Amino acid sequence: MGAKPRSLSGIKPTGTPHLGNYLGMIKPAIQMQQTHETFYFIADYHALTSTHDPNQLRENAYDLTAIFAALGMDFENHAFFRQSDIPEVTELTWILSCITPKGLMERAHAFKDAISKKQEVNMGLFSYPVLMACDILIYDSNFVPVGQDQRQHLEITRDLAIRFNHLFGEAFVIPEAIIQKDVATIPGLDGRKMSKSYGNVVPLMAPEKQFRKAIMKITTDSKTVEEPKDPDTCNVFALYKCFSTETDQKELASRYRAGGMGYGEAKQLCFEALNAELREPRENYQNIRKDLPQLDGILESGRDKARAIAMQVTERVRAKVGL
Ligand code: TRP
């Protein structure tokens, strides 16, 4: 550890992680282990802004840990932990809150959305971006792989870090977002973006049967088998692309254009490609998920690595502000 740039990301334990989460964040995050020192955490403090079910929160945290384990995260050389196991994050959040303009929070998308939907806004939701900035800054993170929807949060993080450094002197590393462009919009079952709020998601560790059924339900146009089809506007093809090599993509694209292939067959190929990638992790998941001592061990070792750094950075910040 140490020589490689540090990549950090968080995932909220609200609901079942789905295929969109996998392609947008989890898969690239796991791949980054080869080139980065990675720190990934379960954003349970953030989840509290919207969930009030303690059992569900605990179970979801274990689900996520088991998912990362099943997908082959290397816990020896990287850190996977619970946000709430690092209490320094909340201390830093207070300190950073004191230099955060209220207007900046009022311009944040999540807050504006809640207001426009006339939802009740708690202070946790209002200051969500400050907590997120601290998640990132407290580990001297260099890179943050996130979905497109988190772009604004990363901009806020950079703004706050620059502002702090300017006011008190260099304390924070300025992080960079890594946004997965190609897979930023994963079609859900109805062709809209896959999202928990649309109820169109495919759970990542769902049994094979459920995956097949979900893929068979993807919306397409009503062209007959004989008609030539356009791969670039097809939801099935968009999903296939996420699980196949370029050569396979080219081949399927030309079959689309040639005509003579129905959407049913394309869906079958899509299912097979997806299943080839997820079959083994799904089996691993079933075993690991039952093994709570193993999951606790993973979270404890992650906590120890993360906390060592969080304590150093918090000390640095305390000194700068005069605490
Ligand atoms: N807000 C992110 C989401 O909803 C989760 C998150 C919390 C996060 N803290 C983070 C992501 C820090 C990256 C870095 O998906």
Side-chain angles (χ1 to χ4, degrees):
M1 297 231 288
K4 291 177 181 169
R6 185 171 296 144
S7 150
L8 169 133
S9 197
I11 181 160
K12 253 196 301 182
T14 46
T16 323
H18 57 74
L19 208 50
N21 302 135
Y22 173 64
L23 295 169
M25 185 270 180
I26 304 175
K27 182 176 174 175
I30 301 252
Q31 282 170 345
M32 281 184 88
Q33 292 185 108
Q34 287 161 22
T35 45
H36 294 69
E37 178 196 5
T38 66
F39 272 41
Y40 298 129
F41 67 90
I42 301 163
D44 51 3
Y45 281 146
H46 275 117
L48 281 183
T49 63
S50 60
T51 28
H52 302 117
D53 182 339
N55 280 330
Q56 196 62 53
L57 189 59
R58 266 181 227 116
E59 293 302 312
N60 287 348
Y62 282 130
D63 286 351
L64 276 174
T65 311
I67 284 176
F68 274 76
L71 290 167
M73 177 153 182
D74 164 10
F75 301 110
E76 283 280 313
N77 294 301
H78 302 267
F80 188 87
F81 55 100
R82 278 194 194 94
Q83 182 183 32
S84 61
D85 277 339
I86 318 295
E88 285 77 12
V89 169
T90 57
E91 178 178 0
L92 191 61
T93 299
W94 178 255
I95 297 175
L96 221 59
S97 292
C98 295
I99 63 144
T100 302
K102 176 168 158 276
L104 186 63
M105 297 298 99
E106 283 164 348
R107 289 192 295 277
H109 296 316
F111 173 71
K112 284 192 353 194
D113 279 2
I115 293 288
S116 73
K117 290 182 195 145
K118 302 215 175 347
Q119 283 165 1
E120 197 185 284
V121 176
N122 57 49
M123 286 306 295
L125 179 70
F126 185 63
S127 46
Y128 188 108
V130 189
L131 176 58
M132 178 156 163
C134 291
D135 287 333
I136 297 168
L137 300 174
I138 204 165
Y139 306 111
D140 283 341
S141 311
N142 304 106
F143 296 101
V144 186
V146 282
Q148 179 69 32
D149 61 331
Q150 299 297 313
R151 186 187 286 279
Q152 189 194 33
H153 286 146
L154 263 294
E155 279 161 16
I156 293 174
T157 302
R158 290 167 57 92
D159 277 4
L160 294 179
I162 291 167
R163 193 182 172 88
F164 185 97
N165 286 353
H166 179 72
L167 284 169
F168 294 105
E170 270 332 279
F172 292 126
V173 171
I174 310 300
E176 262 176 60
I178 300 184
I179 294 171
Q180 296 293 316
K181 285 235 174 53
D182 286 346
V183 292
T185 309
I186 306 301
L189 291 171
D190 53 2
R192 291 192 291 174
K193 182 186 171 182
M194 187 178 289
S195 160
K196 282 171 208 166
S197 47
Y198 294 153
N200 63 356
V201 305
V202 185
L204 184 54
M205 293 297 163
E208 185 171 313
K209 258 193 188 158
Q210 244 170 282
F211 264 109
R212 183 190 295 272
K213 212 170 135 192
I215 290 173
M216 294 305 156
K217 279 204 311 203
I218 295 177
T219 315
T220 60
D221 59 33
S222 48
K223 290 205 169 82
T224 62
V225 173
E226 296 74 38
E227 279 178 277
K229 301 173 180 64
D230 181 6
D232 300 326
T233 55
C234 178
N235 293 320
V236 180
F237 191 77
L239 191 59
Y240 179 78
K241 267 168 73 176
C242 302
F243 293 96
S244 51
T245 61
E246 241 173 83
T247 322
D248 288 345
Q249 289 165 29
K250 278 196 190 130
E251 198 186 311
L252 187 63
S254 59
R255 291 196 60 200
Y256 264 77
R257 294 193 182 99
M261 181 191 66
Y263 286 118
E265 190 180 343
K267 286 176 175 178
Q268 178 62 26
L269 291 170
C270 179
F271 166 73
E272 281 166 15
L274 176 146
N275 203 40
E277 182 165 318
L278 290 176
R279 189 190 303 117
E280 215 183 283
R282 193 189 301 129
E283 281 165 18
N284 294 340
Y285 177 81
Q286 302 310 335
N287 297 322
I288 299 168
R289 181 61 182 84
K290 287 184 233 144
D291 190 347
L292 292 192
Q294 187 187 346
L295 297 178
D296 284 330
I298 290 169
L299 291 169
E300 279 159 26
S301 87
R303 176 198 63 199
D304 293 346
K305 282 183 201 137
R307 195 150 187 222
I309 295 165
M311 285 168 78
Q312 283 173 25
V313 176
T314 304
E315 216 23 72
R316 200 196 293 156
V317 171
R318 289 177 66 108
K320 290 282 185 203
V321 299
L323 293 174

